[in-house]
Amino acid sequence: MNTLSRTLCAAVLGAGLLGLAAAPARAADDADVTRLQARLAALQDDPALARAGLYERMDAQRALVALSKARRSERPEALYLAERRLEIAELAAANEAARAELVRLDLRRSELLLAASRREAEHARRESERLRIQAQIQAEEAERLRIAAEAEAAARSEVEQALGKATGRQVAQLSAARRKEAGLARQEAELVSGSKLPASRFEGQREVFTLPGSAYAPGKSSLSGSGTSAAAALAAYLQIGKGQARVVAWGNDAKLAQARAAALRDALVAGGVPAARIKAERKAGAASNARAAEVSVDL
């Protein structure tokens, strides 16, 4: 119900209350009318429910007016109708207020989930940066030791072996931190876009997402509904990170494969990813149901 409709309903309802106040003297002495009128006034005075169920309250108001004017033979039916109309108005107001509260709570929940996801992602980025600096410091120290040990071949070999082990551990830690950061970024991207990311795998310092054949319309370069959803999630994921992206599409038809790669790139750009960060190309070979295109992202 829009603001104008609510205002008009409230005005009519207010006029109805005044009408009841001006009813015949016998209505003022009618205990049923007085009791029901008090319930309707309490509903109107409740700030949490004052603007909910206005149409139902108008029906209840009309039923009360009819009760106040009913002849003795008509009163049982009029009383029953007035009570039911008032109950309906009370339930309608409570239901509208509850629905509004549910909408508010659901929005608040989404805001809290997004904020928590962003905090976790920021923590993972800080941890990745700390490990990178630590690895750089250790690498510089290892280089100094290697230069100092050049005069002694045996000592140099021992130092190089130690360096290899230390570097391997640091690379493993850094890789794990980056994968954790990527995992949090995936969660945030899916939360923001409302779509699931395609399946992915890690290849060195890159994460590779695979789009199946169903991501494209059969025999065409345009994305299907599932392909469009996957592109929206990928665009949100790329906007969280800063790495370069490479789009490739397979196909025996070189023109179709290149057009499919370009269509996927254009969907990512439309989703907010700078075009300069994306390279699109085709690959020779037939596309399959399991793999029609891939998007690889630098970590």
Side-chain angles (χ1 to χ4, degrees):
M1 186 185 301
N2 59 34
T3 303
L4 180 58
S5 297
R6 288 182 181 275
T7 303
L8 290 174
C9 288
V12 172
L13 187 57
L17 288 173
L18 291 176
L20 265 182
R26 70 181 184 84
D29 297 331
D30 191 316
D32 290 326
V33 173
T34 302
R35 172 175 55 82
L36 296 178
Q37 184 178 1
R39 284 173 59 185
L40 184 59
L43 184 61
Q44 179 67 16
D45 294 339
D46 188 336
L49 304 176
R51 302 187 68 82
L54 293 180
Y55 285 134
E56 290 79 2
R57 270 187 264 174
M58 290 174 61
D59 289 340
Q61 182 64 64
R62 285 193 290 266
L64 276 175
V65 172
L67 175 61
S68 68
K69 297 178 179 179
R71 293 190 295 271
R72 183 176 299 276
S73 61
E74 298 171 342
R75 285 188 57 77
E77 181 179 350
L79 176 60
Y80 177 81
L81 180 61
E83 288 179 335
R84 299 291 83 76
R85 292 293 188 187
L86 185 54
E87 289 176 1
I88 290 171
E90 291 170 338
L91 288 174
N95 284 340
E96 283 190 33
R99 283 195 295 270
E101 180 64 10
L102 284 175
V103 170
R104 186 189 69 80
L105 291 175
D106 188 59
L107 178 61
R108 180 59 178 162
R109 175 180 176 274
S110 297
E111 291 173 348
L112 291 174
L113 288 174
L114 182 58
S117 176
R118 286 175 173 170
R119 284 196 300 270
E120 290 182 8
E122 179 61 26
H123 175 74
R125 283 192 286 269
R126 288 197 300 267
E127 180 66 10
S128 177
E129 180 63 14
R130 185 187 69 80
L131 290 173
R132 185 192 67 78
I133 294 174
Q134 182 179 349
Q136 181 179 348
I137 293 172
Q138 290 188 356
E140 291 173 354
E141 180 64 13
E143 179 66 13
R144 185 186 67 80
L145 292 175
R146 188 190 66 80
I147 294 174
E150 282 183 350
E152 300 179 8
R156 180 179 59 191
S157 176
E158 182 180 352
V159 170
E160 287 177 350
Q161 290 177 4
L163 172 63
K165 293 179 181 179
T167 302
R169 286 194 298 270
Q170 288 300 318
V171 169
Q173 290 178 345
L174 182 58
S175 177
R178 285 177 172 170
R179 292 190 181 195
K180 180 180 179 181
E181 181 181 355
L184 293 172
R186 285 197 297 272
Q187 294 177 14
E188 181 177 349
E190 291 178 346
L191 184 63
V192 170
S193 67
S195 301
K196 297 290 291 183
L197 282 163
S200 68
R201 66 184 186 279
F202 291 95
E203 292 183 356
Q205 300 302 314
R206 299 175 69 84
E207 185 173 12
V208 182
F209 295 87
T210 302
L211 280 74
S214 60
Y216 291 95
K220 298 182 179 179
S221 62
S222 57
L223 292 170
S224 64
S226 62
T228 301
S229 296
L234 284 167
Y237 179 78
L238 286 169
Q239 289 180 77
I240 294 170
K242 302 298 181 184
Q244 296 293 309
R246 179 167 171 257
V247 177
V248 297
W250 279 264
N252 290 326
D253 183 339
K255 185 176 180 180
L256 177 60
Q258 186 64 47
R260 284 186 167 187
L264 181 52
R265 177 198 60 203
D266 292 344
L268 296 177
V269 172
V273 183
R277 289 178 54 198
I278 307 172
K279 180 180 180 182
E281 61 187 35
R282 70 173 183 86
K283 277 196 174 182
S288 66
N289 291 333
R291 185 187 68 177
E294 285 184 349
V295 178
S296 56
V297 183
D298 292 334
L299 297 178

